[in-house]
Amino acid sequence: MSAYHLDHLQHLETEAIHVLREVAAEFERPAILFSGGKDSICLLRLAEKAFRPSDIPMPFLNVETGHEFPELLEFRDRRAKQLGAKLIVRTVDDAIAKGLAQPAPGEISRNRLQIPALLGAIEEFRFDCCVGGARRDEEKARAKERFFSFRDSFGQWDPKNQRPEIWNLYNARLNPGENMRVFPLSNWTEMDVWEYIKREKLEVPTIYFSHERECFRRNGQWLPVPPPPTDGARPDPYDGARPRPAETVAKLVVRVRTIADMISTGMIESKAYTIDDIIAEVAAARVTERGSRADDKSSEAAMEDRKKAGYF
């Protein structure tokens, strides 16, 4: 009798399913962070495989900056409805209105302001675990994460004081007010994600594929031109994120490799119209996917600083 051997994707899949089942067994009130991006799309398929035919035993949570791509929001809402899941949405605008978040003078990106919005949602719903699609290959701070990433009662992460995970044994013990972030895709790469999407025939938002869009050049990147203001009586939410007079605007064929919001997401010129085209492009890439994220370029330690404060 021949032994059964798992291929690379099957090994990653079984590892992630094991982690998801550990979450369901160890925590009382877990949630899945679902943005509609490619990593969280894979996470939902893994959750289906981990728990079907039962319902996925945890709600979906998303924190909006207010500057999202409309295509992403439509996909997120539709996918949650297809799975029959409860989708909880909290916004930076609400966090500002409640006094939880305070924009700094001249601050354009709202990624930092997602931190108090997320911590507020965790406290509101008493989540003891949030499951996300972060991967170690994305950038240096995420490379330091374990599968089970402990957060103290202030929602903060200490990379120098993480719990050991010997023989795939996870310490899920928490005191009141503490919580855990769990990353089942930790060992996946960008290529693994796209190969899994191809194998599972998963739908992804259209902005991952090449399309024509107006963009402007800033700090060596092409950024998308935000939608026009809809109400002249209210402040423009994209103020500061629109092209300045000296900045070049062009209509290009572009796509995204990694999605933040319209203020942070760099567009790449591309002719990738299919999953196979994307896989070939990723294989030839010499820049990491987060190299196109404007919010990661402020300093080398930008992501680690945000994660220590509670960012996902």
Side-chain angles (χ1 to χ4, degrees):
M1 180 181 296
S2 60
Y4 179 72
H5 295 286
L6 300 178
D7 64 26
H8 178 65
L9 282 183
Q10 288 172 329
H11 174 80
L12 292 174
E13 180 184 70
T14 56
E15 179 182 64
I17 288 172
H18 168 69
V19 171
L20 284 166
R21 288 174 175 167
E22 283 289 304
V23 167
E26 295 283 353
F27 297 99
E28 294 182 4
R29 300 179 67 87
I32 293 178
L33 273 290
F34 179 56
S35 66
K38 64 182 186 304
D39 301 312
S40 57
I41 289 169
C42 291
L43 197 57
L44 295 196
R45 173 50 58 88
L46 293 162
E48 285 188 276
K49 292 192 174 189
F51 305 116
R52 292 301 193 207
S54 299
D55 292 335
I56 297 174
M58 50 197 83
F60 301 164
L61 173 63
N62 184 226
V63 176
E64 294 181 7
T65 66
H67 302 150
E68 275 74 21
F69 289 85
E71 303 97 319
L72 192 68
L73 296 181
E74 184 278 329
F75 180 89
R76 177 201 68 188
D77 295 346
R78 177 164 50 84
R79 187 70 182 117
K81 186 175 181 180
Q82 287 172 349
L83 292 172
K86 178 182 180 181
L87 174 64
I88 299 168
V89 177
R90 291 296 178 266
T91 69
V92 168
D93 284 329
D94 286 342
I96 293 173
K98 294 176 181 177
L100 297 174
Q102 181 62 48
E107 186 175 24
I108 297 174
S109 172
R110 286 184 158 191
N111 279 345
R112 180 186 65 82
L113 303 179
Q114 286 181 293
I115 298 171
L118 174 60
L119 297 180
I122 290 172
E123 183 177 0
E124 177 185 355
F125 294 96
R126 295 185 292 113
F127 292 133
D128 53 1
C129 175
C130 288
V131 182
R135 310 184 323 267
R136 292 193 184 110
D137 78 316
E138 291 182 82
E139 49 78 51
K140 294 179 180 178
R142 286 183 168 168
K144 298 178 182 180
E145 290 276 16
R146 305 281 170 85
F147 278 102
F148 278 43
S149 184
F150 172 76
R151 297 299 195 273
D152 64 21
S153 57
F154 297 101
Q156 296 176 330
W157 171 63
D158 180 1
K160 296 180 180 180
N161 186 27
Q162 298 189 79
R163 297 175 176 180
E165 294 180 347
I166 303 170
W167 303 304
N168 293 332
L169 297 175
Y170 307 111
N171 182 351
R173 293 182 180 179
L174 297 173
N175 294 315
E178 299 171 343
N179 67 88
M180 197 75 71
R181 311 287 173 87
V182 174
F183 305 107
L185 305 185
S186 289
N187 290 332
W188 296 45
T189 65
E190 184 185 10
M191 179 66 81
D192 296 328
V193 167
W194 283 112
E195 289 184 339
Y196 192 73
I197 287 170
K198 177 182 178 180
R199 195 186 78 176
E200 296 294 313
K201 298 181 173 61
L202 300 177
E203 181 187 1
V204 297
T206 56
I207 53 177
Y208 278 115
F209 299 101
S210 295
H211 59 286
E212 195 172 66
R213 184 182 291 268
E214 278 198 329
C215 302
F216 65 96
R217 196 73 173 170
R218 179 178 293 174
N219 297 328
Q221 288 184 297
W222 288 110
L223 298 177
V225 174
T230 57
D231 186 352
R234 291 183 296 177
D236 180 6
Y238 292 98
D239 184 36
R242 299 191 182 281
R244 300 161 186 153
E247 291 176 329
T248 302
V249 178
K251 185 170 283 188
L252 304 171
V253 176
V254 294
R255 74 176 192 91
V256 300
R257 281 180 71 184
T258 178
I259 305 176
D261 59 18
M262 295 192 75
I263 287 177
S264 303
T265 301
M267 314 298 293
I268 61 169
E269 295 184 73
S270 171
K271 294 293 183 66
Y273 297 100
T274 68
I275 298 292
D276 285 331
D277 291 341
I278 291 174
I279 289 173
E281 188 175 88
V282 170
R286 293 297 176 265
V287 177
T288 65
E289 63 186 297
R290 293 190 73 96
S292 62
R293 286 281 287 270
D295 55 317
D296 285 352
K297 291 181 175 294
S298 57
S299 74
E300 185 174 312
M303 173 62 80
E304 184 161 335
D305 291 342
R306 293 201 302 271
K307 286 178 69 65
K308 287 179 179 178
Y311 189 74
F312 208 81

